[in-house]
């Protein structure tokens, strides 16, 4: 056990767990994300010993697979209770709540929520949810077809994190220890030989900015095998990943034909993975909608204006030369044509140069202590609601009056994200040294926005590569 392992276990005795590269071998054939797996392992563990019989029994009884025959069991009159991914939809015309469970074949229109359950305020949330659902089959009465009725639902929220305790815990770590701690929480080994410097580790942590900062929009291009898909698909139930395929405005924002919100208003962040393979049925319409949303955090549906705090991150592969540098110096040419609109690109706050990140190797897999993924994701989600970090950033920065607003907003938002991740315990500008703030918050944020501006200047004469002369106060 390393010194960091001992510290994590001592400071977070209930929230931490020991993780090994093969810890998920119990879940062979079971399609659930890391936050579910961690919760189950913790539930059936005692002093790091796993009750394998109890774990396997729970999985068999409550986590369905393709071979579970849930539909047949419902038709046979069984009352089914499972832990699953459920999508709730409200039907304005009928006044009913409907649900679907895609992983077991219960489609839209085949599931209804009981009227009693639907009336319980705050229980059901539009869109995707994880939870324990109890349902039964309702026989057709001649007027309508049979359907699965949900009679009980318990949302999967096993932790209500004590944010203040988390912040106080930060004070017991050095900056370097805390950076390593966060990498552990991402399920990677901070002591891997693949990590060459603190700057590289900070670049790795940059992927978490969209988890903690609302309405933050990023682009990451990286070679294959650097783990970007895993992070955005497994660390939080509050994010949604789109992997290739066709995207419509209705799917992203709001489906007026079904009166249901799309992906963006339903989640905290949306990652567009394998972005080269994504297409749009109406590119100009998507461009216009994204420009408005990314600028204002709102979108129009009919005569109504709706808002969302979800950020976007584009994830794509990029080809490198023998020196591990991009073959094409115009990075945005790697994006789909719909995302090559210059005004749209300008609305992205920062660019992550993923070719500086290590490829995932066996040595990079965590074998030590970290926070339970579900607990960590709840902490990250809660941090999004804390707006005082942005106020601290503004107090720490000296911004010229003629500074470009988009550049300024981008730097402030990314600085705020870094501050939330690295210094969650600060409550005023006096709580952090200007030197440290500049090194691990301001400089990385400034550089990532600068890449956006440099790339725009290279392809459009309307833009220059000059960034505002923003300074950190208290430094000469």
């Amino acid at each position: 056990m390393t010194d960091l392992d001992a510290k994590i276990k001592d400071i977070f005795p209930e929230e931490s767990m020991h993780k090994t590269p093969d810890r998920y071998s119990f879940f062979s054939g079971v399609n659930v994300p890391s936050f579910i797996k961690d919760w189950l392992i913790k539930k059936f563990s005692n002093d790091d010993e796993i009750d394998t019989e109890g774990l396997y029994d729970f999985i068999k009884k409550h986590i369905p697979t393709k071979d579970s025959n849930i539909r047949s069991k419902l038709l046979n009159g069984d009352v089914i209770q499972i832990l699953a991914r459920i999508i709730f939809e409200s039907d304005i015309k009928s006044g009913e709540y409907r649900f679907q469970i895609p992983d077991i074949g219960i489609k839209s229109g085949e599931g209804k929520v009981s009227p009693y359950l639907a009336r319980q305020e705050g229980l059901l949330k539009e869109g995707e949810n994880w939870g324990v659902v109890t349902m039964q089959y309702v026989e057709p009465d001649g007027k309508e077809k049979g359907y699965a009725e949900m009679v009980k639902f318990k949302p999967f929220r096993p932790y209500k994190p004590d944010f203040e305790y988390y912040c106080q815990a930060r004070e017991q770590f050095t900056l370097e220890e805390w950076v390593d701690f966060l990498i552990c929480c991402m399920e990677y080994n901070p002591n891997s030989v693949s990590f060459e410097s603190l700057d590289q580790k900070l670049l790795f942590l940059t992927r978490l900015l969209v988890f903690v900062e609302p309405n933050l929009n990023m682009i990451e291009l990286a070679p294959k095998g650097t783990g970007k898909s895993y992070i955005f698909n497994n660390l939080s139930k509050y994010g949604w990943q789109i992997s290739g395929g066709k995207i419509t405005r209705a799917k992203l924002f709001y489906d007026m034909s079904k009166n249901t919100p799309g992906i963006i208003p339903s989640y905290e962040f949306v990652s567009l993975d394998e972005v080269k393979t994504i297409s749009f049925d109406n590119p100009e319409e998507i461009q216009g909608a994204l420009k408005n949303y990314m600028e204002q955090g709102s979108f129009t549906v009919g005569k109504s204006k709706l808002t969302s705090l979800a950020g976007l991150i584009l994830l794509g592969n990029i080809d490198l030369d023998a020196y591990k540098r991009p073959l094409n110096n115009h990075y945005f040419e790697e994006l789909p044509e719909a995302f090559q609109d210059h005004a749209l690109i300008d609305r992205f706050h920062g660019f992550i140069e993923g070719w500086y990140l290590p490829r995932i190797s066996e040595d990079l897999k965590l074998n030590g202590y970290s926070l339970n993924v579900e607990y960590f994701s709840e902490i990250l989600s809660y941090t999004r609601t804390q707006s005082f970090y942005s106020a601290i950033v503004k107090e720490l920065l000296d911004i010229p009056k003629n500074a470009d607003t988009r550049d300024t907003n981008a730097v402030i938002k990314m600085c705020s994200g870094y501050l939330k991740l690295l210094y969650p315990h600060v409550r005023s500008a006096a709580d952090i040294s200007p030197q440290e703030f500049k090194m691990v918050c301001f400089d990385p944020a400034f550089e990532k926005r600068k890449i956006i501006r440099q790339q725009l200047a290279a392809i459009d004469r309307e833009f220059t590569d000059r960034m505002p002369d923003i300074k950190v106060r208290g430094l000469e």
Side-chain angles (χ1 to χ4, degrees), residues 201-232:
K201 289 180 177 180
L202 289 173
L203 183 63
F204 196 75
L205 292 180
T206 300
R207 290 171 165 172
L208 293 181
L209 293 185
V210 297
F211 287 70
V212 298
E213 185 65 19
N215 294 119
L216 181 66
N217 307 306
M218 303 286 290
I219 300 173
E220 178 182 345
L221 297 181
K224 297 176 182 178
T226 53
K228 53 187 180 296
S229 300
Y230 180 85
I231 288 171
F232 294 100

Side-chain angles (χ1 to χ4, degrees), residues 134-235:
T134 303
M135 57 186 171
Q136 62 190 17
Y137 181 67
V138 174
E139 295 280 356
D141 60 3
K143 295 181 180 179
E144 61 178 342
K145 299 178 181 179
Y147 57 89
E149 182 181 48
M150 183 185 298
V151 293
K152 291 182 182 178
F153 179 67
K154 184 178 181 181
F156 182 76
R157 295 170 190 157
Y159 300 103
K160 186 176 182 181
D162 186 337
F163 185 66
E164 285 307 311
Y165 180 82
Y166 176 82
C167 293
Q168 291 167 12
R170 166 63 180 91
E171 299 180 36
Q172 301 180 57
F173 292 78
T174 66
L175 173 62
E176 289 75 14
E177 286 176 333
W178 190 255
V179 168
D180 286 354
F181 164 72
L182 292 175
I183 290 174
C184 288
C185 292
M186 296 170 73
E187 305 194 313
Y188 291 99
N189 173 21
N191 298 315
S192 169
V193 295
S194 300
F195 284 120
E196 300 174 354
S197 64
L198 177 62
D199 285 344
Q200 191 183 34
K201 289 180 177 180
L202 289 173
L203 183 63
F204 196 75
L205 292 180
T206 300
R207 290 171 165 172
L208 293 181
L209 293 185
V210 297
F211 287 70
V212 298
E213 185 65 19
N215 294 119
L216 181 66
N217 307 306
M218 303 286 290
I219 300 173
E220 178 182 345
L221 297 181
K224 297 176 182 178
T226 53
K228 53 187 180 296
S229 300
Y230 180 85
I231 288 171
F232 294 100
N233 206 30
N234 283 276
L235 292 189

Side-chain angles (χ1 to χ4, degrees), residues 82 84-87 99-107 133 135:
I82 55 174
R85 178 174 66 100
I86 304 105
I87 299 175
F99 72 91
Q100 53 177 304
I101 309 179
D103 297 336
I104 60 173
I106 296 182
K107 305 171 185 176
V133 56
M135 57 186 171

Side-chain angles (χ1 to χ4, degrees), residues 321-335:
D321 60 21
Y323 302 98
K324 296 185 178 182
R325 294 287 301 172
L327 289 173
N328 189 347
N329 291 327
H330 292 172
Y331 306 156
F332 299 140
E333 290 183 6
E334 301 291 330
L335 301 177

Side-chain angles (χ1 to χ4, degrees), residues 213-217 268 293-294 297 308-311 349 384 413:
E213 185 65 19
N215 294 119
L216 181 66
N217 307 306
E268 293 182 349
Y293 175 71
M294 293 168 69
S308 173
L309 298 177
H349 298 109
R384 294 174 65 88
K413 288 185 74 64

